[in-house]
Amino acid sequence: QKEVEQNSGPLSVPEGAIASLNCTYSDRGSQSFFWYRQYSGKSPELIMSIYSNGDKEDGRFTAQLNKASQYVSLLIRDSQPSDSATYLCAVAGGTSYGKLTFGQGTILTVHP
Amino acid sequence: GAVVSQHPSRVICKSGTSVKIECRSLDFQATTMFWYRQFPKQSLMLMATSNEGSKATYEQGVEKDKFLINHASLTLSTLTVTSAHPEDSSFYICSARSDPNTEAFFGQGTRLTVV
């Protein structure tokens, strides 16, 4: 079982729709959760971090964390073509304290 | 956010030569830096963790004698790929953080091509 799993997609949504990205993790002791966006040929850029159960909103982005279910998600509202990228879920803490373990990424395409 | 600068952004080298990649934190002290490798269409795989002033900790399967990591100051870590071969061609990315529970900030990445 992979430590961090994402639905690999590709996920295609129309412009203006909500894109939903999901991630599960295996280490129950994980403490920090991150969503990164990576454009082709570029390094990842941090979109959201979340540490507590519940929702965290930042602009068009909402991260949701459920530690009991070992599940973290990212919602992108009013999706734009510029949101088309690979989204990486990363987890830190627990047995890999301080290190990030990445999921394989979900490719998102927002079509006009 | 904090700025991490990685240099060079792109390098082509001949098989058998060594290449050094620098990672600098420009506006914060990076007690820990991480080095990742990303092959095409794959996710980032952690190669090693370096703490300032200490020897790097390598992930399983990563040859420490081939990938030399130095973290001599709180703002600079270097990765040297020794005796590079075509299979070492990859996107190498560093990240840095000041504190284990804070966000990691990534450098721009280095595209290494070994010919």
Side-chain angles (χ1 to χ4, degrees):
Chain A
Q1 182 188 5
K2 293 180 182 177
E3 293 184 52
V4 180
E5 286 204 61
Q6 296 180 244
N7 45 336
S8 58
L11 175 64
S12 181
V13 301
E15 185 174 357
I18 295 175
S20 177
L21 305 164
N22 305 313
C23 174
T24 58
Y25 58 94
S26 61
D27 187 346
R28 192 170 283 279
S30 299
Q31 300 170 357
S32 308
F33 307 87
F34 306 91
W35 282 99
Y36 289 85
R37 177 174 61 195
Q38 186 177 30
Y39 293 111
S40 181
K42 303 293 185 182
S43 67
E45 58 176 314
L46 181 68
I47 299 176
M48 293 283 287
S49 59
I50 186 166
Y51 305 97
S52 305
N53 280 328
D55 295 358
K56 179 181 178 182
E57 186 175 317
D58 183 0
R60 295 187 295 113
F61 300 97
T62 299
Q64 299 173 317
L65 174 62
N66 184 324
K67 290 186 179 180
S69 300
Q70 295 174 244
Y71 173 87
V72 59
S73 67
L74 179 71
L75 298 178
I76 306 174
R77 290 181 299 281
D78 189 23
S79 296
Q80 301 296 309
S82 58
D83 294 327
S84 299
T86 298
Y87 288 80
L88 300 166
C89 171
V91 175
T95 56
S96 62
Y97 188 74
K99 300 189 299 187
L100 288 177
T101 301
F102 284 86
Q104 70 270 39
T106 298
I107 299 171
L108 171 66
T109 301
V110 181
H111 52 87
Chain B
V3 179
V4 176
S5 177
Q6 192 172 336
H7 179 79
S9 58
R10 191 178 293 269
V11 59
I12 301 173
C13 71
K14 291 185 177 180
S15 187
T17 62
S18 295
V19 174
K20 180 184 284 189
I21 302 169
E22 292 187 347
C23 180
R24 294 180 184 273
S25 57
L26 298 186
D27 53 1
F28 68 100
Q29 293 188 326
T31 53
T32 306
M33 288 187 173
F34 303 92
W35 287 95
Y36 294 86
R37 180 168 54 183
Q38 186 177 34
F39 291 109
K41 300 193 184 301
Q42 295 187 24
S43 191
L44 281 73
M45 294 300 295
L46 181 66
M47 298 175 67
T49 302
S50 74
N51 292 299
E52 185 266 338
S54 303
K55 287 185 179 180
T57 302
Y58 290 81
E59 295 299 302
Q60 191 172 10
V62 178
E63 301 174 57
K64 60 182 179 182
D65 294 331
K66 181 171 181 63
F67 298 99
L68 301 179
I69 291 172
N70 184 281
H71 192 167
S73 77
L74 285 170
T75 58
L76 175 64
S77 177
T78 60
L79 166 67
T80 301
V81 183
T82 63
S83 187
H85 288 95
E87 58 265 31
D88 297 323
S89 299
S90 187
F91 192 45
Y92 292 85
I93 312 172
C94 71
S95 72
R97 59 175 59 180
S98 57
D99 174 305
N101 279 321
T102 58
E103 293 87 344
F105 296 94
F106 284 84
Q108 306 94 315
T110 297
R111 175 75 57 192
L112 170 63
T113 303
V114 184
V115 297

